[in-house]
Amino acid sequence: MTCGTLANLAVINTSLRGRARRVTPAGLGRFLGRRIGIGLVLMVGITLVAFVLTHLVPGNPAAANLGQRALGDPAIVKAFNHEYGLDKPVVDQYVIYLGKLLHGNLGISEQSHRAVVTDLAEYVPATIELALFAIVISLVLGVGLGILAAVRRGKLVDGVIRVISLLGVSMPTFWVALLAFYLFFFRLGWFPSGGRLGPAVTPPGNITGLYTVDALLHGDWSLFASALDHLVLPGLVLGIYTVGTMVRFTRASVLEVINNDYVRAARVKGLSEWTVIRRHVVRPALLGIATVSGVAFGSLLSGTVLVENIFGWPGIGQYAYNSAINLDLPAIMGVSMVVAFIYIVVNLLVDILYSILDPRIELR
Amino acid sequence: MRKHVAGAIGALASAAALAISTVGAASATAAPSASGGKTLVIDNSFQLVTADPGHMFEPSGELVDNGLYDTLVTFQGSDLKTVVPDLATSWTSLENSKKYIFHLNPKARFSDGTPVTSADVVWSLDRMVNLKGNPSFLLAGEKIVAQGPETVVMTSALPNPALPYILPNPATGVLNSKLVKAHGGTDAANASTKDTAENWLNNHSAGSGPYVLSSFSTTTQVVMKANPNYWGAKPAYSTVDLRNVQAPVQGLDVERGANEIAVDLSPAQTKSLSGVQIKRAPSPNVFFLFTNNDPTISTVTSNPWFQKAVRAAINYKSLVALAGTGSVQTPGVVPTVFLGALPSSADSKTSVSVAKADLAKSGLKNPSVALTYPTDVQVNGINFGDLAARVQQDLQQVGITVTLQPQSVQVALQTYRGGKEAMGLWEWGPDFPDPSDYLVFGPGHLVGLRAGWTTADAPGLATLAQKAADTTGTAARQSVFQAFQQQLNQRGPFMPLIQTAQVVVATKSVKNVQGNGLWLVDLRNLG
């Protein structure tokens, strides 16, 4: 998501000449109200687009989900279509879907025979945990190495970091995943092969759905170790592309300002180099980093399909893939809604972050 | 000064990277080891929807339910030709296989310690039929009644000699009826809308098998614990963890000893493995080619001489080589591991000269045809696309131009099931290990119609198919099903190609490993 796209979702007034303004509670309230309203309209629009598109796909959900023999029995096909509301006209199906949606009911999955909400409650946190880990790693390594490369511009360190970042953005994720799996699991045995927990380990009681967090909240350190152990390798693989992007972006942003007059003035004033970098070099780059982070989080969510498959990570990527190949319409709709919701929320948070990082930006 | 900043940042970044790798290394060391001991970890690429036997009809589900539920009769090891006792100690077939009497083992107990009764059997089987789910057809038309607490009688209007081969399917697993009723189960005629027990049965088990359900996820893992009240021989493992793992990863898992058994590897994927035990055997999964017999679909493929030319042109040995060690050419549609299979001497023979002569007799000049197949599914690690490319190459040699038409399975299924494909490459996996399951290839039957082959096209063969369905007695059935397939090979629009290999890879610590064509691996007899 670029700043230009963000502008479609929010009204951000950037007045470079204006005085710094604080975000007032009333202003924030108006901003949130407006954005939530737009978000709701977007969500309804997304249900319509997803519904129409899934019904345009050639295929028959009964044929996709029933066995060959069962499909030959009209009574069984009738029972299936009735159970999932497929015996009604498409428009009626959509109206019924919206009605149920108002009550938080996303229907029953044709694959799992469970409520889609129940499925999503299981799979979405797994992907969020993976994506959050990847984004944190990306921020720590990407920003750190990007600043380092800029500060040491033209030196060996800069060259090494640039090569690493180039590799990060140019290597296909599935290839990195296979390579990492082979090296770190099969050869070195540093990490387990897949899944979220070790064999026969019982998941922690569900609080957030993020196993590492829930294990900590329960004070179960061995469970936490198992969860973290399983998270690290897929998280790193997923984050490696974002690290590369973040390094390149941060380096370019820092280089833009590092030789400006106000930076030199800060040095002349006798401020320590660390303070100069932190206050006068990095801070202006944070807006861009926030934007890239928002974009990266979105692409991480959509990029999890391959990583989840290779590492047996039971997230929304696998669920979406299985739903698509089985024409599981309620599940496809549910996944579309959740992904859209996450995008909207992440964009909202990034916009709010803008006003915090740069008081000249007014939310309205 | 800048150097200090750079050093500090570099140190931070390095420390972060080091911390990550250290956590990984340290926690990997601390992670519980699954090898040996009492826990058995099985890698499987999940095809799993439910643990409820009344709804279950997927390979992974059969593996799970085989551990959780007993059936009246079963199979042992990899032998799918010999039915052995499970809950029923003995059974009798009467009235030309229209009536069966099963005598239950009085020692049988559910996991809560209560006895397994004939009422539980009747309730479970009626529920499975009335749920109108995927497995319901298995016992459609069977009247099931209890005669006393330990006798079950099953009767049907037509002879059903396949019944003993149908009943080992874990979908016919016997449930603790009182327990399941208490959680929304019903065997009533309207069970398809009134039964609400599936969710409960996906979190608990209510059977008498060697294991009880500990946790169940259709995407991650299924954990089963040893049933403390099991009435049979105690299982060798106290915990079985079935994990969803992609096939290519399974081999590495077992080779490294992280997990004990892998069930989805292709023969090619096992070539580089070392230090493990590998069991290869022909699976019951049959790949076949068909040429549509309906002239309105294709005047080319419906030509009988064209069909003969295709049959003679295919290089079967090349297909078997492609499928790898353990796979075989299938002489008929009934796989070699089932009763009624044709001997290998009946294999179709490859002959380019015969194929060219047959094509000349067809009167077709430079015929061209589209071959449709699914792209996004594999069977025992074999891609349809690889086989289709070989078929294209073989037919090209005799002057038939094949245009490959790969499609997503859901799209291809539409045209296949609608009988719209001129030429199709498909696979048939058994619903139950009996030759009667393959009568669907007959004219006017399910798969026959998909190939545009009606009863009017081959009335003699249709009569023979009906005779095969009604024949009882092992020897007589063997003979009539072989005759059916011989005629199918001569006159039908089907070209049986290969049976894929079923490969089970295990660490050397696991004893008595045997693959099973229904439930992938024989869990109950592992040592």
Side-chain angles (χ1 to χ4, degrees), chain B residues 177-439:
Chain B
S177 59
K178 275 186 189 169
L179 194 57
V180 181
K181 278 182 202 170
H183 292 91
T186 175
D187 67 340
N190 59 357
S192 64
T193 54
K194 297 298 178 190
D195 185 282
T196 56
E198 186 182 4
N199 267 343
W200 186 82
L201 286 166
N202 282 337
N203 293 294
H204 310 81
S205 53
S208 56
Y211 292 96
V212 293
L213 189 63
S214 176
S215 72
F216 179 85
S217 162
T218 55
T219 56
T220 328
Q221 63 178 357
V222 178
V223 180
M224 297 182 277
K225 301 276 185 186
N227 172 2
N229 291 316
Y230 186 49
W231 56 283
K234 189 180 172 186
Y237 292 90
S238 59
T239 302
V240 172
D241 185 353
L242 182 68
R243 289 170 77 89
N244 186 15
V245 178
Q246 295 301 307
V249 176
Q250 294 180 17
L252 299 178
D253 270 353
V254 176
E255 190 173 7
R256 185 163 176 87
N259 299 341
E260 280 74 30
I261 294 179
V263 295
D264 296 302
L265 294 170
S266 69
Q269 287 167 327
T270 62
K271 277 183 183 170
S272 60
L273 298 180
S274 61
V276 297
Q277 47 178 326
I278 303 172
K279 307 282 182 181
R280 299 184 186 93
S283 79
N285 301 317
V286 171
F287 276 93
F288 64 93
L289 193 70
F290 75 82
T291 53
N292 203 304
N293 206 59
D294 183 350
T296 63
I297 299 297
S298 169
T299 52
V300 173
T301 60
S302 58
N303 187 311
W305 286 107
F306 175 84
Q307 294 172 351
K308 286 178 186 294
V310 170
R311 186 172 288 114
I314 294 168
N315 184 343
Y316 299 95
K317 285 182 180 168
S318 142
L319 299 182
V320 171
L322 177 70
T325 310
S327 59
V328 293
Q329 180 180 347
T330 182
V333 289
V334 177
T336 54
V337 291
F338 293 172
L339 173 80
L342 286 169
S344 59
S345 57
D347 281 346
S348 294
K349 305 292 187 293
T350 306
S351 171
V352 173
S353 58
V354 170
K356 283 182 175 174
D358 287 342
L359 191 60
K361 288 176 192 168
S362 74
L364 299 167
K365 301 293 179 195
N366 302 318
S368 178
V369 62
L371 172 59
T372 308
Y373 57 92
T375 54
D376 42 2
V377 285
Q378 291 187 332
V379 178
N380 298 116
I382 307 302
N383 284 311
F384 284 78
D386 295 338
L387 291 175
R390 293 284 176 106
V391 169
Q392 181 189 41
Q393 189 182 344
D394 294 343
L395 297 192
Q396 189 67 49
Q397 287 188 354
V398 300
I400 300 171
T401 303
V402 173
T403 307
L404 298 183
Q405 197 162 296
Q407 290 180 341
S408 134
V409 65
Q410 296 308 338
V411 176
L413 274 174
Q414 288 280 97
T415 51
Y416 168 51
R417 288 173 172 168
K420 305 292 185 195
E421 290 179 359
M423 183 186 266
L425 175 65
W426 287 92
E427 177 268 347
W428 184 267
D431 297 308
F432 48 87
D434 186 82
S436 58
D437 191 39
Y438 295 83
L439 292 173

Side-chain angles (χ1 to χ4, degrees), chain A residues 63 67-69 111 190 193 200, chain B residues 28 49 134 241 253 417 437 450:
Chain A
Q68 308 221 29
R69 297 285 196 150
Q111 301 169 78
W190 287 4
S193 64
Chain B
V49 172
N134 272 327
D241 185 353
D253 270 353
R417 288 173 172 168
D437 191 39
R450 290 171 182 172

Side-chain angles (χ1 to χ4, degrees), chain A residues 122-131 196 209-210 308 313-316:
Chain A
E122 182 179 330
Y123 303 129
V124 172
T127 297
I128 297 237
E129 184 172 40
L130 190 60
R196 292 183 77 184
L210 280 59
E308 287 181 5
W313 190 267
I316 199 168

